[in-house]
Amino acid sequence: MKIILILIILTIIKNCYCETSFFVPYKVYDFKSSQPGFNINYTQCFLNSIGSNGLVKQNLNPILNKPEYCCDDCKFKYIDNQNVYDQSFISNPDSTKTIINNFNFFPFYYENGIVLYQIFINPFYPINGKGWNEGEQGNNNFWCMEGHYKFKYNIKKKKTSDYFSFYIGGEYSVFIDGKLVLDFSGTKDPEISICHKNLNLTNGETYTFDFFSCQRFDEYKPYRYILFKTPFVFECNNIPGVNDDVCPPPLPDCNNMTTCNDNNSCTIDSCPSDLSKLPKNANVTDYCTHTPIKCSNDVDNKCIKSLGCDKIDGICKTEPISCDDGNLCTIDKCDTNTGCNNNPIVCPTDDKCTKSLGCDKSDGICKTEPISCDDGNLCTIDKCDVNIGCTNNYTICPTDNKCTKSLGCDEIDGICKTEPISCDDGNACTIDTCDPNIGCKHSPVVCNDADLCKSVGCDKSTGKCKLFSTRKCPPKKSIGLFGLGIICQLEKCEPTTGDCVIDNSGGFLDHLQLNYGYRINNDDNNNKNLKCIDDITCDDNNLCTIDKCDKEIGCINIPLKCPPKITIGILGFGLICQLEKCEPTIGDCIVDYSKSIFEKLICFDF
C-alpha cells in the first residue's frame, strides 16, 4: 500500500504545474504632433491594410542598443533616415513624455504538458491619461515602447515550447542576442512567431531579448491588443545609459578579500549580509565588518607560548619555550605534559682503544684520547683492536728475492734490511747477472767477427773482445825454371771461409822465390789433448799462433809462417831472398836479421 501511495505522489509531482508568474518593466514614449513620424497614414504606401518588413537592419547598434534604420523607399517614406527613426526611442522634454509600465506574464499550459508564459491585453492603451494626446474617445494612439530583458536558455525536453510569439499592431522589431528575429510594419494582422531551436542557441547559456514597437496613426487603426508569448522566464536587463530608469542597477559587487579588505590580516573581513538593504548610492565598504581573529592559548601544552595573531599573514603564532640551562653537557628537552628536563650527557666507554675524558662543557661533545700501544720496539707493528685492545706483532721481512739476502728488521729504524748476493765467478769473460726468481746467471762474452781469417776472442785480463791473430798463407813452390830456380805460387786467406786460396794479384817476379827451409807444420800443436769449450778457451797468449777449438781433440795452436820476400840484382843471374819472421807481440811478419848472407842467396829446398 505504501508503495502505491509513493507512486501516486511521484506522478502528481511529475505532472504538477509548478511554474509561477513573473513581471518585467517596459518604457513608453508619448509624442506631440510635432514629433517626426507622428500619425503616419500607412495606407499611402500599403493599400488596404498591407504590411511589410525590413524597416531596420539585422543587428542592434552595439553602442546605443537601439535598432538602426535600414532602407529609404516608399514603404517608410515618413521615416526615411536614421535621425528621424531615432526620435522614436529617445526622451525629449519638449516633445516627449516617458512612462514606465510592467508586463505581468502568467504561465499557460497546453494539454500535452507544454508550458509557456504570456500576456494578453485587449484593448491595449498603455499610456491613457498619462501622455500629451488622448485622441478620439479619450484613447492615446501615438506612442512607441521598448523592453530590454534577458533569459536563461534552458530547454526541458517535454515541457518547453519551441516558439516566441509577438502580436501587436503598427510596427515592431524583436532581437535575440542582438540579432533581428521578428519585424513588421503596416496595418495587417501582425502576429509572427519564431522557433528558438533555429537560432543556434546553447542550452544553459544566458541571452538578451530586446523589443521595440510604435503606434503612429489613428486612421485605419490596427488591432488594439497585445499578445506576447515566451517559453522562458524574463528578467530585466540593466543597460547603463539606456534603461537605468526602468531596470534598477545590479547590486554592487562585494568581495570579502578585496572590497572589504582593511589590510589587517588579523581581522576577518565580511561583506554586508544583504546588499539589497543598503541605502541608495551607499558605499559598500562603509558597511563591511572586520572581526578580530582570536588566538587561543593552548594551556595544556607546556612547551609553547602564544604570541597572538601575526599581522603580516594573519596566522596565530606561537614560539617554543626555551629549556636551555646554559650547560652544553646536558640534553635539554621539553615534555608537553611536564615541561623542561635537562639530563646529563652520558659518554660511552665501550671502545678499548680510547680513553673517555667525559663531556667537554665548552662544546658539549664527548671527548676521548687514544690509548698508546707503543712498546718502544720499532720492529713490531703496534695496533689496537676496539674489542681486545693493543697488539704488538713482530715485523716479518720477506725473502722472496733470490738476488738479495735478508738481514732482518733493523731495530734502529724499524726497516727490513737486505744485501745483494755476489754472482762474480772470477771470469772476466762471462757476464754475471742475477734473476730475482732463479738467482745468479753467467753468460759468456760473445765476440762476433765475420772475417774468418782473424782470430777474435775475449781478453781474460780485461773482459773485452780483441784481435789475437790474422792467418798468413805460405807460398806453394814449383821446380823447373832453367833448371836453376824455383817458382813460388803465392796464396792468401779467404775471409768468408778462413781457407788459403791462390793469390793472383802479384806479378811474375813476385812468384820467383827461394823456399829455403820454409814449411808450415799443421801438426805442431801443444794443446792437442786439452778439452775446450770454444776458441777463446784455447787462447795461448801468443799472437803468432792461430787458436782453434776442436771438440774431439781439444785446443789447436797453429804457428804462423812468414814467406820470404824476393830481391833481384845479384850478378845478374840469381835472386836474393829476404827472410821474415812472426813477431809474437804484434802477430805480424817482420825482417829476420838473424839469418846470414848465404841463407839469403837463392834458396833451394835440397
Side-chain angles (χ1 to χ4, degrees), residues 321-333 340-345 359-365:
I321 63 172
S322 174
C323 290
D324 186 4
D325 60 357
N327 184 353
L328 297 178
C329 286
T330 58
I331 299 172
D332 305 325
K333 292 184 177 180
C340 291
N341 56 68
N342 310 95
N343 298 316
I345 293 175
C359 178
D360 188 338
K361 292 185 177 181
S362 64
D363 56 15
I365 298 175

Side-chain angles (χ1 to χ4, degrees), residues 432-466:
D432 305 325
T433 59
C434 189
D435 185 306
N437 295 315
I438 61 177
C440 290
K441 296 169 62 178
H442 308 282
S443 303
V445 174
V446 178
C447 297
N448 293 322
D449 194 325
D451 190 345
L452 298 181
C453 292
K454 296 179 180 179
S455 177
V456 180
C458 178
D459 188 341
K460 292 183 178 179
S461 63
T462 63
K464 295 181 179 180
C465 292
K466 62 179 288 187

Side-chain angles (χ1 to χ4, degrees), residues 158-174:
K158 295 183 178 180
K159 297 182 67 176
T160 303
S161 171
D162 292 344
Y163 293 93
F164 287 100
S165 297
F166 200 81
Y167 185 97
I168 193 169
E171 67 185 52
Y172 67 87
S173 57
V174 177

Side-chain angles (χ1 to χ4, degrees), residues 10 41 54 93 112 121 232 245 257 430 434 439 478 485 506 518 561:
L10 291 175
N41 187 350
N112 59 4
I121 304 173
F232 305 104
D245 53 344
M257 300 298 294
T430 57
C434 189
S478 297
Y518 180 87
K561 299 294 185 177

Side-chain angles (χ1 to χ4, degrees), residues 443-570:
S443 303
V445 174
V446 178
C447 297
N448 293 322
D449 194 325
D451 190 345
L452 298 181
C453 292
K454 296 179 180 179
S455 177
V456 180
C458 178
D459 188 341
K460 292 183 178 179
S461 63
T462 63
K464 295 181 179 180
C465 292
K466 62 179 288 187
L467 177 65
F468 287 103
S469 62
T470 301
R471 183 174 185 181
K472 301 294 184 177
C473 293
K476 289 185 178 180
K477 55 189 177 177
S478 297
I479 302 173
L481 185 56
F482 305 113
L484 44 116
I486 295 176
I487 296 176
C488 297
Q489 185 178 15
L490 301 183
E491 288 188 333
K492 63 179 180 180
C493 182
E494 174 57 43
T496 59
T497 62
D499 296 329
C500 288
V501 298
I502 296 172
D503 184 3
N504 296 317
S505 62
F508 173 75
L509 294 178
D510 291 326
H511 293 275
L512 297 178
Q513 298 185 40
L514 295 179
N515 191 13
Y516 176 74
Y518 180 87
R519 180 172 300 179
I520 297 176
N521 186 358
N522 289 329
D523 296 328
D524 186 7
N525 185 3
N526 297 323
N527 299 314
K528 198 173 188 180
N529 298 317
L530 296 178
K531 292 182 179 180
C532 59
I533 298 173
D534 52 24
D535 292 348
I536 297 172
T537 58
C538 292
D539 183 13
D540 59 358
N541 294 322
N542 184 350
L543 297 182
C544 286
T545 58
I546 297 174
D547 305 321
K548 296 287 185 180
C549 177
D550 187 308
K551 298 295 184 179
E552 295 181 358
I553 62 176
C555 290
I556 301 173
N557 305 100
I558 305 170
L560 293 176
K561 299 294 185 177
C562 293
K565 290 185 179 181
I566 51 181
T567 301
I568 304 172
I570 300 300

